[in-house]
Amino acid sequence: MSTSLSSDVQRAFLRYQHVFVFLAPLAFVGGVYAFAPTPADAGVGYWTEYWWLFAVFTAGATIVNTVGISGSALFVPFLIFAFPLVAYPLEPTTLVKIGLISESFGLSSSSLAFIQYGLVDRRLSLSLVLGGVPFVVGGALLSFVIPEPVFHALLGVALLAASYLLFKANLAHGDPTESGGDEEVATDGGSSPDLPDDDNKLGPAGVDTDESGTVTRVDRDGDDYTYSRGGYLERFLNYSVGGVFQGLAGFGIGELGIISMLRTQVPVRVAIGTNHIVVATTAVLASVVHVFGGGLVGGHTMDLATTPWNMVVWTVPATTLGGQIAPYVSTALDTGTIKAGVGGLFAVIAVALFAMAAGGI
C-alpha cells in the first residue's frame, strides 16, 4: 500500500513537475524582494536594472542543458568577459555566488524535465554519481591551494581534447526509431506487447533490460532507443578526471563525462538526459564544499550581503525556463547538429579559459 502510494505521488509530481519548477523561482524572487539585504535606497530602478540578463541566461541555460553540461561553462566566461562591457567588473566571489544560485535552479529544472521526458537512465546515473563523488570533493578541496589560472589552463586543455574526441565519435548510433503503427504509445502500464511496460519506472517512459544487458527505452514521444550499459571503465576514467575539474573550477564533469557515454554507445539523447543528473548532483556537492570548505582552510566564503540580488532575480527564472525548454530542443535536433554544436561550444569555452588563465598569471 505504502509503495503504491509513494509511486503514485512520484508519478503525479513528475507529471506536473513544470508547475512546481516554475513556482520555485517565483517563491525565490518573492523571498529576495522581501528579506534579502539590499541597498537602503533600492527602488524600481534597482530591481529592473539588469532585466536584459533574463534573455541572456535563458539562451545560455537552454544551450548548456540541451547538451548536458554545466551552466557555469557559459555563465562564468560571460560574466567575466561580456558583462563588464555593459556594466562593471565582478569580483571572483560574486561570480561564484551568481553562478551557484542560478545554476542550482537551472539544473534542477532541466533534470526533472529530462526525467519526465523519459531520457534518463537511472541505474547509469547512480553509478556515475557514486563514482564521481570522491573526485569532486577532492577537487573542491584542492581549489583552495592550487592557483586559479592553473585550473583554467588545465580545463581548457581538457575541453579541447573533449572537442576533438567528440568530432571523432560516431553520434549516429542509437538514433531513436519511431514505434510502428498508429496505436497510441504504450508506456508505464500500457498494453502494447512491442514496447517496454514498467510500472515501477518514474516518469512517462518505459524501459526494459533483457538477459544480455541490452536496454530498450521508450521516451514520451514514443521514440525507442536500444543500447548497452557496458563501458563502465572508460566512463569511470572520464568522470573521475571531470569530477576533479568540477570541484576545482565548477564545471568539467559534464563536459568530459558525456564524451565517455557517447563513445560507449549510449544514445546521444539518453546520454544528455542522464548526464543532467550527474552534473546537477555533483554541482550541488561542489558548491557545498566551496561554501563551507573555504572558511575552514582560509579560502573564500559566501557573504549574502554583497550578493547582487537585482541580477539573480532575473537569472534564476531565466535558467529555470531554459532548463524546461532543453529537452524539447534536444529531441528536435538531429545528432549531427548536436555534435557540431557541442564540439564548437567546447572549443569556444576552451579559448575563453585560456584567456582567463593568461589574464590571471
Side-chain angles (χ1 to χ4, degrees):
M1 180 75 69
S2 60
T3 302
S4 177
L5 178 60
S6 175
S7 178
D8 290 341
V9 171
Q10 291 172 331
R11 199 181 304 275
F13 175 79
L14 286 174
R15 179 175 299 173
Y16 301 104
Q17 57 87 23
H18 57 280
V19 176
F20 298 100
V21 162
F22 285 118
L23 284 176
L26 289 178
F28 172 81
V29 171
V32 166
Y33 183 79
F35 304 109
T38 57
D41 59 347
V44 175
Y46 171 80
W47 294 109
T48 59
E49 182 177 3
Y50 299 111
W51 63 267
W52 49 272
L53 286 177
F54 182 85
V56 174
F57 273 67
T58 297
T62 301
I63 292 172
V64 296
N65 286 306
T66 295
V67 298
I69 62 176
S70 306
S72 296
L74 281 185
F75 299 149
V76 169
F78 167 79
L79 292 172
I80 289 178
F81 297 114
F83 184 78
L85 298 178
V86 295
Y88 59 93
L90 297 170
E91 294 293 328
T93 52
T94 302
L95 291 171
V96 172
K97 283 184 285 190
I98 295 173
L100 292 180
I101 293 172
S102 304
E103 187 176 72
S104 62
F105 280 86
L107 286 171
S108 300
S109 168
S110 191
S111 296
L112 287 174
F114 272 93
I115 291 174
Q116 200 263 355
Y117 216 94
L119 293 173
V120 173
D121 189 313
R122 291 178 296 159
R123 183 183 302 178
L124 194 55
S125 64
L126 178 61
S127 67
L128 295 173
V129 168
L130 292 178
V133 162
F135 298 97
V136 173
V137 173
L141 295 176
L142 284 175
S143 69
F144 300 114
V145 296
I146 297 179
E148 187 174 350
V150 177
F151 300 163
H152 295 149
L154 290 175
L155 190 54
V157 172
L159 287 180
L160 281 181
S163 179
Y164 171 78
L165 291 173
L166 181 60
F167 279 112
K168 296 288 289 184
N170 175 22
L171 296 193
H173 70 79
D175 277 350
T177 57
E178 296 287 344
S179 301
D182 297 328
E183 183 179 5
E184 185 178 352
V185 176
T187 55
D188 276 359
S191 58
S192 172
D194 300 324
L195 295 174
D197 179 4
D198 184 356
D199 291 330
N200 295 319
K201 174 72 174 67
L202 297 181
V207 61
D208 178 69
T209 305
D210 64 19
E211 295 180 357
S212 66
T214 299
V215 181
T216 301
R217 177 177 300 277
V218 181
D219 67 17
R220 192 176 69 181
D221 290 337
D223 295 332
D224 48 292
Y225 309 79
T226 302
Y227 60 98
S228 170
R229 294 191 179 98
Y232 280 99
L233 179 59
E234 178 172 349
R235 287 195 292 270
F236 174 77
L237 293 175
N238 268 33
Y239 275 92
S240 60
V241 174
V244 173
F245 282 118
Q246 183 80 7
L248 288 172
F251 56 100
I253 196 168
E255 291 76 3
L256 294 179
I258 196 171
I259 299 299
S260 63
M261 278 200 279
L262 296 177
R263 284 174 54 83
T264 53
Q265 306 303 302
V266 177
V268 61
R269 294 184 179 95
V270 176
I272 290 172
T274 302
N275 208 44
H276 271 74
I277 304 300
V278 182
V279 174
T281 305
T282 55
V284 171
L285 177 62
S287 300
V288 171
V289 178
H290 273 280
V291 171
F292 296 103
L296 295 176
V297 298
H300 61 266
T301 57
M302 290 297 189
D303 181 9
L304 295 180
T306 61
T307 301
W309 296 108
N310 56 344
M311 292 176 61
V312 296
V313 293
W314 296 103
T315 62
V316 163
T319 55
T320 302
L321 177 60
Q324 289 290 297
I325 295 173
Y328 299 94
V329 177
S330 176
T331 55
L333 294 177
D334 59 48
T335 53
T337 301
I338 294 176
K339 180 178 80 168
V342 176
L345 183 62
F346 285 175
V348 171
I349 294 171
V351 172
L353 286 167
F354 287 134
M356 292 165 62
I361 295 177

